[in-house]
Amino acid sequence: MAALHSTIGRAVRRPVVFALLVLVTGAITGMVLYSKSGLFGLTDPHVVAQSPSLYGISLDEPAFTERARSGVVAMAGDLGFIDPSPDTGQYVLQALTTLPGFAVTAGAFFLVWRLLWRARDGVYLAQVAGQVRVLGWWLLAGGLLAPQLEHLAMMTLLDTMTTGESYYGIKEIPLVVPLAGLGLLALAGVLRTGVRMRDDLEGTV
């Protein structure tokens, strides 16, 4: 295990390797960014607002009913509204429906590589424990706030296109990211304890 850590540390310590890792993760982040409505939806000639309500409307069009097997009814539950001539404010709101989540992802990538750079000389260091703690708080706060901000932007955009359709209540929060943040905070506590124990041992020696 020590040899593995030393190998990883030597690899990350090389500027070329570190720059390559940052470039690869940056490219992945960019692809994720563009895949979400094409650059925050700013490249589309229209804006789309999704209703939070589920309608369960029966579909009678042959294009849908012909795909259903015998005895199966085609239903549509989601309702979207499209404005083909949006103004600047609507474009901004559409961008905000995906921007918070991207900011959390991009910030997490940056903090992960900063953590790896700090850990190139070992994991039981006060700086490493601090970086793990920062990453944990970032994921915890971002995982809780980003969905709410995106929901608020979507409902505000929906208000510009409909009347009485939006719902400004609390949006359901995906728990994976906040739980990962909590786990990292717990790990930071373990690392801080390890750092203190190592310092105590070095002091006694």
Side-chain angles (χ1 to χ4, degrees), residues 56-69 71-77:
I57 301 173
S58 178
L59 300 176
D60 297 327
E61 292 292 332
F64 301 103
T65 56
E66 289 175 357
R67 299 184 183 184
R69 296 183 182 273
V72 176
V73 179
M75 302 282 289

Side-chain angles (χ1 to χ4, degrees), residues 116-159:
L116 289 177
W117 185 256
R118 293 282 190 181
R120 66 190 186 277
D121 294 324
V123 294
Y124 288 105
L125 299 172
Q127 297 89 339
V128 174
Q131 288 297 316
V132 172
R133 187 169 181 268
V134 170
L135 179 59
W137 278 115
W138 177 264
L139 292 178
L140 178 60
L144 294 174
L145 292 177
Q148 306 309 319
L149 294 174
E150 291 178 352
H151 176 68
L152 177 62
M154 178 62 76
M155 293 303 99
T156 305
L157 177 61
L158 189 62
D159 270 341

Side-chain angles (χ1 to χ4, degrees), residues 37 40-41 46-52 80-83 85-98 149-163 165-168:
S37 302
F40 300 125
H46 56 266
V47 295
V48 180
Q50 194 72 30
S51 172
F81 297 87
I82 301 175
D83 190 339
S85 55
D87 56 29
T88 303
Q90 288 175 309
Y91 269 125
V92 171
L93 290 171
Q94 178 159 274
L96 290 176
T97 62
T98 57
L149 294 174
E150 291 178 352
H151 176 68
L152 177 62
M154 178 62 76
M155 293 303 99
T156 305
L157 177 61
L158 189 62
D159 270 341
T160 67
M161 302 164 65
T162 64
T163 57
E165 188 67 29
S166 59
Y167 169 70
Y168 285 93

